[in-house]
Every structure is written in structure tokens, then in C-alpha cells.
Amino acid sequence: PVGRSGHARALSRADGSALTGSALTAAVSAASGEPGGGLALLEAALEETGLPARGGIFVGALRGCAAQPGRWEEALAVCGHLEKWIEQDPRRASQPLVVRALTAAIAACDKSAQTAHAIGLFDRFRALGVPPSTEPFSAAICACRHGGEGGAATASGLLATMRRLRVARSAWTFNALVEVYSAAGGRGRDAMALLETMAAEGIEPDEVTYTSVLKACRPTRAEAASLF
């Protein structure tokens, strides 16, 4: 692990001046390639200079968490700092970088099969005023694939909320829901019906869509056992 002096060096330029703005964001992004690295450097920067004026640093730290399984707790810790940053100026909630950060954080929870934490993050940031948009909704739906039949119900509810709020759906949205149905088992008809829904909404299925639909149509263990 890198000690305090190591973080201080990472936060400084060759001339000894402190990294700021895009240079600091790049340093955190690079450090996030290693578990705990982005969070440690982020927290060192916060201790050194306080909350930043710009939020790209959070995106950099969270994308690293989303790239590897097992880093969901790190993602939650980064989100805690992001929440404070938004609370400092609520207008920040509508910035596109917050949507990117939230999407990455949800993906980090998904990668570690932490459905409840993924949905919890989604709800917390909506309460902070983050506007509804396609990417976080789709990531939250994808995270429901670890929740069995309950996850399928939650994912279907998220799709219904997208429609109610007039949030655009994408191929990712439907592919994620098909994957949830496939993981739940016994949802082949629902998965097939989504192909008709996509056609009605003018969204082109891709290879992932068809592969996931075929997986969703396979018999469950109970159905397979009943054949013998």
C-alpha cells in the first residue's frame, strides 16, 4: 500500500505544485486501476484541498471500481464523497458527469452481485436531484439479474418507471432486462415479448439481445426434470 508520503508525491507535479483540475482527475483515474488506489488518492486530495470545484475526479475513481469485481464497497465510499459534493451545491446534481459517475457506481455493485446496494445508490441519487436518464436506469436494471424472481419484478418496475418519466430506452435497457429474465428462469415468454416491444419502440435488437432471449427460453431445472 502507498503511504501518506506516496500520496503526497502523486498529488504533486515535478515542480512541487499541487495537481488540480484535469491533471488531478487523470491521476485518480490512473490510480483507480488498482483496488483501493483511486479512493485513497481521492481522499488524500480531499484532505489536502477539500472538495473540488469540478467532479470529474469522482468519475475517474468509480470507473476503476466498475472494471473489477469485489470493489463495490470502494464504490460506495467514493459515492459518499460525491454526495457531499452535490450537497455543497445542489445544482451539480444535473451535471452529465454525475450521471456517468452514478452509472459506474451501479455497475461496480452489479459486478459484485450487490443488487440491493445498486438499487440503493440509484434511489439515493435520484433523491439528491439527479435527473432520470437512460444509463443509470439501464445499469440498475442490469444489476437486478442477481436477485432471482424478486430481481425480475424490480427490473420490470424500473422499465415501467422509465416509461412513466418518459426516459428514453435503448438496446442496453432491453438487453439488461432480458438478461434479468434469463437469470430468473421461467421467463422465456416475457423475454420474447420484449422483442415485440423493441420493434414497437423502434429499437433494433442486436446479437446480445437474441443470444439473451435464447438463454431465457431454456427450460428451468424443474421443467427439464419433468421430461424424464
Side-chain angles (χ1 to χ4, degrees):
V2 180
R4 182 179 295 272
S5 62
H7 292 314
R9 289 193 298 272
L11 292 170
S12 302
R13 295 187 175 88
D15 62 5
S17 62
L19 293 179
T20 58
S22 59
L24 178 57
T25 297
V28 170
S29 296
S32 72
E34 294 294 329
L39 173 61
L41 195 57
L42 168 63
E43 291 184 336
L46 295 179
E47 183 178 341
E48 187 83 16
T49 61
L51 289 168
R54 300 171 64 182
I57 188 172
F58 301 108
V59 180
L62 286 166
R63 282 180 173 165
C65 296
Q68 300 168 333
R71 297 179 65 179
W72 62 276
E73 290 178 302
E74 185 181 345
L76 294 181
V78 174
C79 283
H81 296 300
L82 177 57
E83 286 178 283
K84 292 177 183 176
W85 183 77
I86 294 172
E87 288 166 354
Q88 189 180 64
D89 183 354
R91 293 174 298 178
R92 290 170 171 168
S94 61
Q95 293 186 15
L97 67 87
V98 175
V99 170
R100 294 197 295 272
L102 176 57
T103 302
I106 293 171
C109 292
D110 175 26
K111 202 142 190 114
S112 297
Q114 296 292 325
T115 300
H117 286 294
I119 300 301
L121 279 177
F122 180 79
D123 291 338
R124 275 163 50 192
F125 277 84
R126 283 190 64 195
L128 281 173
V130 176
S133 54
T134 305
E135 291 79 10
F137 263 103
S138 300
I141 289 172
C142 190
C144 292
R145 62 196 168 117
H146 311 288
E149 187 57 38
T154 300
S156 297
L158 287 169
L159 181 64
T161 301
M162 291 182 78
R163 289 196 176 103
R164 179 171 56 82
L165 297 178
R166 300 179 183 271
V167 178
R169 277 78 66 193
S170 68
W172 179 21
T173 307
F174 287 102
N175 289 350
L177 186 53
V178 172
E179 181 63 27
V180 172
Y181 288 160
S182 176
R187 288 275 195 152
R189 291 181 184 274
D190 294 323
M192 289 288 292
L194 286 179
L195 291 175
E196 297 181 6
T197 302
M198 292 178 74
E201 295 191 15
I203 299 172
E204 188 74 25
D206 56 22
E207 182 179 348
V208 174
T209 313
Y210 290 117
T211 301
S212 297
V213 168
L214 288 172
K215 284 172 58 182
C217 291
R218 72 188 188 279
T220 63
R221 287 186 179 181
E223 290 170 337
S226 69
L227 298 176
F228 299 95

